Amino acid sequence: MRKQKKKNINIISICFLFIGIVFMVFGIYRGEVPVMFEKSINICLECIGIG
Amino acid sequence: MVKKRISNDRSRYIIQAIWTLITNSFLIGFIQGKIYQGKVKNVCVPGLNCYSCPGAIASCPIGSLQAVIGSYEFKFAFYIAGFMIVIGSIMGRFVCGYLCPFGFFQDMLHKIPFYKKPKTFKGDRLLRKLKYVILIVFVILMPLFLVDIIGQGSPYFCKLICPAGTLEGGIPLVLMNDTLKQTVGWLYAWKNFLLLVTILASILIYRPFCKYICPLGAIYSVFNPISIFKYRVNPEKCIHCHACATECKMNVDPVKNANDLECIRCGKCKSICPTNAIEYTYSTKKYTSKN
Ligand code: SF4
Ligand code: SF4
């Protein structure tokens, strides 16, 4: 019984981990990283309270 | 026991300080008034650390999330959402307790003595829901729908609320850059006002920004009950002395719920427990009345 519970909860954590990795790979594949990179290497005027 | 608690606090502060230094290790940026433009900025840090900080070597997850959601090309940020899901499902709000520079900043501020520091107040529980509203409205909906003619949204949380951006990016960059100095206006004044309020509130209340405002804390909080790394309380060792609940500055009672959404996994409860009933665990084994 306990073993069953252990298995279930493990599956939830591992599923989320897996979903996260799939999301990351898909995000990289469809080109989200350059958009984020572009924003983060130039001083973000909004972030610093100017823009 | 007190010794154990102090040593737990000290080792946590050391880890927080080292991590803050690592994530802001482009020290030359503080001298030149420029920001790091290298490849590491392609990845995010787990905690809230403004990517416009002159020392920041990687990106802020909340800033990046808004940048991608608000871009005209994408309406969902898979890469950053995936990153936060990975971190959250491994450790939940352990990030807040150990790996967030802005959390560390508030921890240090709270050490400043003041004659009375309220542990809680009327409306505290309700106010904690505000961070979820901020996440949905300012981080997701506004950048998604309040767009200009080419479909580009602004990072509204960064722009209107985030005091970490003002502290880490706004103040040093404006101080070191004459062109920026000439462009500051009401928004800059507003952000500095919010930072001041956050600083004063942090002296009085433990981590007010984390409790009530931070959208990153809101995201990681939902992973606390399901993350691989968690806490558990051994009911056979627990003598119900309430020392853990009294010690917890996030107002969590670990005996009631060892993986409460508000728990930042700082370990204070664990170190105060006289019977060592609170344990870290990677396994999902739950104590039952039989064992
Ligand atoms: S709640 Fe936000 S600011 Fe506070 S420690 Fe967590 S990520 Fe950092
Ligand atoms: S329950 Fe324990 S680990 Fe969690 S915030 Fe409170 S004292 Fe820290």
Side-chain angles (χ1 to χ4, degrees):
Chain A
M1 174 66 194
R2 218 168 61 221
K3 214 165 190 179
Q4 185 61 39
K5 182 140 203 170
K6 173 178 176 174
K7 216 172 156 193
N8 288 343
I9 300 172
N10 257 338
I11 286 172
I12 294 172
S13 323
I14 301 302
C15 276
F16 271 99
L17 197 59
F18 181 72
I19 292 169
I21 294 168
V22 171
F23 269 32
M24 284 182 80
V25 173
F26 181 64
I28 294 170
Y29 167 77
R30 70 171 195 156
E32 288 174 13
V33 180
V35 175
M36 167 192 138
F37 185 66
E38 184 64 31
K39 187 87 179 171
S40 66
I41 57 160
N42 296 305
I43 293 174
C44 170
L45 293 178
E46 285 114 338
C47 292
I48 65 170
I50 292 177
Chain B
M1 207 153 59
V2 174
K3 234 186 196 164
K4 203 171 134 200
R5 194 194 68 202
I6 292 170
S7 100
N8 168 76
D9 278 352
R10 199 168 294 155
S11 43
R12 191 168 69 91
Y13 297 148
I14 292 171
I15 294 171
Q16 287 175 299
I18 292 173
W19 185 255
T20 301
L21 206 63
I22 291 173
T23 49
N24 295 293
S25 53
F26 186 65
L27 298 179
I28 190 110
F30 288 106
I31 298 164
Q32 296 176 337
K34 291 190 181 131
I35 62 171
Y36 172 73
Q37 299 192 315
K39 290 245 182 309
V40 191
K41 279 257 168 106
N42 280 310
V43 293
C44 292
V45 283
L48 196 79
N49 193 73
C50 186
Y51 48 27
S52 284
C53 171
I57 54 159
S59 292
C60 168
I62 292 297
S64 306
L65 189 69
Q66 293 167 93
V68 177
I69 291 179
S71 73
Y72 59 87
E73 293 156 84
F74 304 112
K75 291 298 156 217
F76 188 81
F78 281 97
Y79 175 64
I80 297 121
F83 172 79
M84 291 191 286
I85 293 172
V86 167
I87 299 290
S89 54
I90 294 172
M91 56 183 121
R93 283 191 91 175
F94 178 85
V95 172
C96 304
Y98 282 82
L99 304 177
C100 177
F102 202 65
F104 177 49
F105 177 62
Q106 291 168 85
D107 275 359
M108 292 301 108
L109 286 171
H110 197 67
K111 292 195 116 2
I112 297 173
F114 193 79
Y115 81 100
K116 199 169 187 285
K117 301 204 182 207
K119 201 177 173 205
T120 188
F121 55 88
K122 204 167 167 254
D124 168 60
R125 281 279 143 193
L126 189 68
L127 205 54
R128 289 183 193 223
K129 309 254 183 299
L130 181 64
K131 58 182 175 293
Y132 301 99
V133 177
I134 288 177
L135 169 67
I136 293 166
V137 176
F138 288 86
V139 178
I140 300 171
L141 296 180
M142 284 172 74
L144 195 59
F145 296 112
L146 276 189
V147 292
D148 59 18
I149 41 169
I150 60 160
Q152 198 92 19
S154 286
Y156 285 99
F157 172 75
C158 298
K159 184 172 174 168
L160 303 173
I161 301 175
C162 186
T166 314
L167 175 76
E168 297 170 4
I171 293 175
L173 286 172
V174 168
L175 284 180
M176 287 183 292
N177 199 314
D178 287 336
T179 337
L180 288 179
K181 226 177 260 168
Q182 280 151 21
T183 41
V184 297
W186 68 269
L187 189 59
Y188 190 71
W190 165 249
K191 293 288 301 283
N192 273 280
F193 169 72
L194 285 186
L195 174 63
L196 191 69
V197 171
T198 311
I199 290 173
L200 295 177
S202 305
I203 296 171
L204 292 177
I205 302 164
Y206 185 69
R207 290 203 185 206
F209 180 77
C210 308
K211 280 176 181 162
Y212 313 122
I213 311 288
C214 184
L216 193 54
I219 294 171
Y220 290 142
S221 75
V222 297
F223 287 95
N224 261 359
I226 55 148
S227 64
I228 294 169
F229 172 83
K230 6 174 134 58
Y231 276 7
R232 70 178 163 190
V233 178
N234 185 335
E236 276 171 10
K237 284 188 184 172
C238 177
I239 52 169
H240 297 280
C241 66
H242 295 292
C244 53
T246 313
E247 181 72 3
C248 178
K249 288 187 172 158
M250 294 300 284
N251 301 355
V252 171
D253 183 349
V255 177
K256 279 195 193 137
N257 182 2
N259 294 292
D260 190 289
L261 302 191
E262 295 297 329
C263 170
I264 56 167
R265 292 179 173 166
C266 63
K268 273 181 187 291
C269 53
K270 188 176 179 305
S271 58
I272 201 79
C273 178
T275 60
N276 293 324
I278 303 175
E279 303 164 355
Y280 297 129
T281 178
Y282 300 98
S283 98
T284 51
K285 187 186 121 193
K286 284 215 165 169
Y287 287 106
T288 63
S289 47
K290 274 184 202 149
N291 57 357

